[in-house]
Amino acid sequence: MTPGTRLLLTALTRPETVAERSLEELDLLVRVARMASLEARLCHLLRDHGVLDTLPDGPRRHLEAAAMVSDRQQDMARWEVAQIHRALYPRGIPVVVLKGAAYVLAGLPCARGRLFTDVDILVPRGALHDTERALFANGWVNQTQDAYDQSYYRRWMHELPPLTHVMRKSTLDVHHTILPPTARLKPDAGRLLADAVPISGVDDLYVLAPVDMVLHSATHLFHDGELEHGLRDLTDLDDLLRHFGQDPDFWPALVARARQMDLIRPLYYGLRYTQAFLSTPIPGTVVEELSDAGPTTPLRPLMDILFHRGLAPHHWCCDDALSGVARWLLYVRSHYLRMPLHLLIPHLVRKAIRKRLQEDSKRTAPVLPRP
Amino acid sequence: MNPDDRRSPGSGVAGPAESVTIIPLPESHVRRWDDELIVYDQRCGETHLLQGVVAMLFEWLREGPCTADALAERLSAEQVDGVGDTYTFVRQVLNELQRLQLLEVSPVEDQQASQS
Amino acid sequence: MQAGTDIQTLSRILGTTGAVIEIGPFLVRLRSRLDSVAAAVGLHYEHQLRAPDTPFCDFHVRLDRPGGLRRWWKPQARFYLDETSPFKPLPLNQAFPLFEWGLNWCIAQRGHRFLMVHSAVVERDGRALILPGAPGSGKSTLCAALSLSGWRLLSDEFALVELDTGRITPLPRPVSLKNAAIGIIRDRYPGAVLGPETHDTTKGTVAHLKPSADAVERAGDPAEPAWIVFPEFQAGAADRLEPVSRGQALLQLADSAFNYSVLGGRGFEAGAALVENCQSFRLTYGDLNASLKLLNSLAEPRS
């Protein structure tokens, strides 16, 4: 583990130590936290531990600025969900809010300081067509111009192509399950919907049940995503486990649900790496019970090597000689897990070519940023 | 949520049996400057500028729930120029406020029941 | 390592640890091996250089030539913020303008203890004149001319409105002049210090006006806002000032602020307090002399 990663992890797990840091260390800590999208979260954590106000103005102001951005994003997420509900409720479509917006609506500890850019919802597969139409009538349009991307989403993915609201420019991802139908693991979306928990005071608006929320977080991180926000997502998972884990019934239910939903491997990874990075308290019985759920011996040390790099903040000071290769292997893995090889290879080639083309369409500097 | 909300969005508001009021807003988010009223909606981050008669109607609506007809009568009594038919004018203003999601609508019966 | 640093020393520092530049409330660590950057920093920021071992900086910027084959046939400069590259590279001769533009972006992303309005600001007798305006409105020309004729330059691009006090914090930086404005300012104020012209940028020809020593020395003195003037350049128009209502002024400020939406209710309250404490006008600007006269008349004591 590089010094930059260690600095951030120590700050997250033992916030009181930040008060002892030199200005040089705080300079690095703020930058690493920013790269990991954890600056606002660190701000809340330090405030809770009474450390924030003891920090020098320079670093403190950056953390506070990030917290302000995060506060506003949460207001916007609440408003977006209200608008989605307004569009879908009259059609009788139940909506399960996922990920960041769900943590906000459910008032979970991991919502505080959580930065996010889009809202994710889950609707019954049978209601997908109606959902898309109702959202379209209320200003959400599909801005995927490229025909290949369109058919990629519709044929292989577990979501509609991302929708953008014409007025507010917000992005919405509509899922009908939590992993693509082509993925190796086959969780049953029907069970997720059946056990979803209503958000109090609002009809037909839900979040996932605690065990499913944890499993979704772990699955998204280890079997679906490209680890861009690896450490941020890992801290979400850590927070969820600490919060729900206070209930002793939670742990056996979590393991049982993981087996039932065919998500035991992502749970294994989730617990292994939250514990390694963030010292998450996990009952010994649970670790024991999952001992057969991980990869076998030759693969296990390799996955450790990959994830220890892939989950670290993507910042130059957190990188070592293997970081680039590790990230690339994890990227290929995430796609491999999502689709069979004969579908994957043409897709990755196509993506690589397009990525090169897109480099040229990057933002030109000489325009002042608009909010 | 009220089951009556399962109606199609965009349908007219404030029928004769409905009373309307402005959603709760912090005092610091509403400023009155001469004939201008400026309103900040924290939920969506929008800032609205209301002028003249519209600003006046907004302030009346903030006083408490009332029906569109009662508003129109009150406006007629003020004898304001340039609004044309007061009923049509009030309805247009209410529709616009509803579009901005600044209105709370409740059935008149509820209103009377809660008052008695 | 303050004023008087020779260009070789500055180049060496820029190429190794990076030079630390204090720009109003922000500290920037700039690394670069480009000669044009060293020359421009030496010219414009000579009195704002701080010790290279300053432990904390707000922005860690590097300006260098990107790698790759292209460097041999089309030399370019790239802006790196903490080793990530948020923008496309530009032709090498635009390196310093790229630094200034990139720094605007950095400040707009992070300076949320202020309501940040895209605006020029000058001050006289402790009272600030805020000139919000889009490119082409003439705000930079007016700002340069005012700062060379009795007003103190607070900022060319940002009105930094302190959320708690409502005062304007100075951000003394070179004023970016474009196209015809360069000649106008040079001719009118022979004492003005301008950097080299950079041609063929997306904004045409650009040259930077060095802020006065006074503006730099008084970077720690904020000013009370007194006037908000929205300039609109109209070639050949008769110059005039017309009052703008508070509501209209606030909407226009919100529209030209970088972080109005980030600040939420606090942004609204800061903006509302600002228009309550200021007189607001629309300036139709056709002739520099006439417009300067109108703006100067604002600050003259009423008889």
Side-chain angles (χ1 to χ4, degrees), chain A residues 118 141-144 153 159-164 171-174:
Chain A
D118 46 14
V141 295
N142 167 0
Q143 289 198 323
T144 312
Y153 272 105
E159 56 196 319
L160 293 176
L163 303 176
T164 304
T171 318
L172 170 63
D173 286 333
V174 181

Side-chain angles (χ1 to χ4, degrees), chain A residues 229-250:
Chain A
H229 299 291
L231 190 57
R232 197 247 352 233
D233 293 349
L234 201 66
T235 58
D236 282 348
L237 189 55
D238 167 68
D239 252 340
L240 292 173
L241 290 169
R242 283 174 195 267
H243 180 71
F244 295 130
Q246 292 164 14
D247 174 0
D249 295 339
F250 168 78

Side-chain angles (χ1 to χ4, degrees), chain A residues 9-288:
Chain A
L9 291 180
T10 309
L12 291 171
T13 47
R14 285 183 292 135
E16 67 286 352
T17 59
V18 175
E20 312 300 323
R21 295 289 178 201
S22 68
L23 257 178
E24 285 94 337
E25 289 171 316
L26 291 172
D27 182 291
L28 185 59
L29 174 62
V30 167
R31 291 149 73 196
V32 174
R34 180 179 313 152
M35 204 56 66
S37 299
L38 285 168
E39 223 182 342
R41 187 195 159 84
L42 186 59
C43 181
H44 282 289
L45 207 56
L46 294 176
R47 191 176 285 147
D48 291 350
H49 284 76
V51 177
L52 188 68
D53 290 336
T54 70
L55 295 183
D57 285 347
R60 182 175 47 77
R61 283 171 180 158
H62 280 270
L63 298 175
E64 286 172 343
M68 282 163 108
V69 173
S70 141
D71 289 351
R72 198 61 43 232
Q73 287 183 350
Q74 307 214 348
D75 283 348
M76 291 302 112
R78 277 195 198 90
W79 181 252
E80 284 304 317
V81 171
Q83 303 314 303
I84 294 161
H85 184 252
R86 222 172 123 86
L88 300 183
Y89 183 72
R91 318 278 172 120
I93 302 169
V95 175
V96 181
V97 183
L98 302 174
K99 301 186 210 172
Y103 307 150
V104 173
L105 288 170
L108 293 172
C110 58
R112 296 177 64 223
R114 175 69 147 72
L115 292 168
F116 49 94
T117 46
D118 46 14
V119 170
D120 293 86
I121 60 168
L122 176 75
V123 297
R125 185 164 198 167
L128 209 53
H129 184 64
D130 271 359
T131 302
E132 194 176 9
R133 281 180 38 180
L135 288 171
F136 180 77
N138 285 276
W140 277 275
V141 295
N142 167 0
Q143 289 198 323
T144 312
Q145 303 289 335
D146 186 283
Y148 173 78
D149 277 358
Q150 281 277 359
S151 68
Y152 170 73
Y153 272 105
R154 289 182 194 278
R155 282 184 70 188
W156 309 122
M157 292 304 288
H158 49 309
E159 56 196 319
L160 293 176
L163 303 176
T164 304
H165 194 273
V166 283
M167 300 304 290
R168 299 190 299 276
K169 306 293 170 209
S170 51
T171 318
L172 170 63
D173 286 333
V174 181
H175 306 252
H176 58 82
T177 181
I178 57 169
L179 277 176
T182 51
R184 275 151 190 78
L185 303 177
K186 313 267 182 220
D188 179 354
R191 290 184 203 262
L192 296 176
L193 288 164
D195 291 353
V197 181
I199 292 172
S200 66
V202 195
D203 282 352
D204 267 1
L205 191 64
Y206 304 86
V207 294
L208 292 176
V211 283
D212 290 337
M213 209 183 258
V214 167
L215 290 173
H216 181 219
S217 170
T219 305
H220 176 65
L221 178 53
F222 291 100
H223 278 249
D224 190 25
E226 289 164 18
L227 292 176
E228 234 180 310
H229 299 291
L231 190 57
R232 197 247 352 233
D233 293 349
L234 201 66
T235 58
D236 282 348
L237 189 55
D238 167 68
D239 252 340
L240 292 173
L241 290 169
R242 283 174 195 267
H243 180 71
F244 295 130
Q246 292 164 14
D247 174 0
D249 295 339
F250 168 78
W251 293 102
L254 178 64
V255 177
R257 185 68 157 184
R259 294 204 190 279
Q260 181 190 38
M261 297 287 277
D262 193 18
L263 294 175
I264 200 78
R265 179 65 66 88
L267 179 62
Y268 167 84
Y269 283 135
L271 301 188
R272 181 175 181 83
Y273 295 111
T274 48
Q275 202 167 38
F277 276 74
L278 298 158
S279 319
T280 315
I282 295 161
T285 50
V286 174
V287 177
E288 218 165 280

Side-chain angles (χ1 to χ4, degrees), chain A residues 265 268-269 272-273 294-306:
Chain A
R265 179 65 66 88
Y268 167 84
Y269 283 135
R272 181 175 181 83
Y273 295 111
T296 44
T297 315
L299 198 52
R300 188 185 304 214
L302 175 67
M303 293 319 286
D304 279 349
I305 288 171
L306 295 186

Side-chain angles (χ1 to χ4, degrees), chain A residues 23 27 31 34 39 58-59 61-62 65 68-69 72 315-316 359-360 362-363 365-366 368-371, chain C residues 56-58 60 82-83 85 87-88 98 104 110 112-113 118 157 202-203 255 257-258 261-264:
Chain A
L23 257 178
D27 182 291
R31 291 149 73 196
R34 180 179 313 152
E39 223 182 342
R61 283 171 180 158
H62 280 270
M68 282 163 108
V69 173
R72 198 61 43 232
H315 187 266
W316 55 270
E359 176 64 12
D360 283 337
K362 226 176 177 178
R363 182 208 308 263
L368 268 170
R370 302 301 306 174
Chain C
F56 182 89
C57 286
D58 293 281
H60 296 257
D82 211 11
E83 297 309 308
S85 166
F87 320 114
K88 269 194 194 180
L98 176 60
N104 287 340
R110 312 295 309 172
H112 301 314
R113 73 193 159 102
H118 188 190
E157 294 280 14
T202 53
K203 296 178 176 182
D255 200 41
F258 296 109
S261 58
V262 170
L263 297 177

Side-chain angles (χ1 to χ4, degrees), chain C residues 98-121:
Chain C
L98 176 60
F99 169 66
E100 290 291 320
W101 290 322
L103 193 57
N104 287 340
W105 183 82
C106 294
I107 293 170
Q109 295 289 314
R110 312 295 309 172
H112 301 314
R113 73 193 159 102
F114 304 103
L115 172 62
M116 296 181 279
V117 184
H118 188 190
S119 170
V121 194

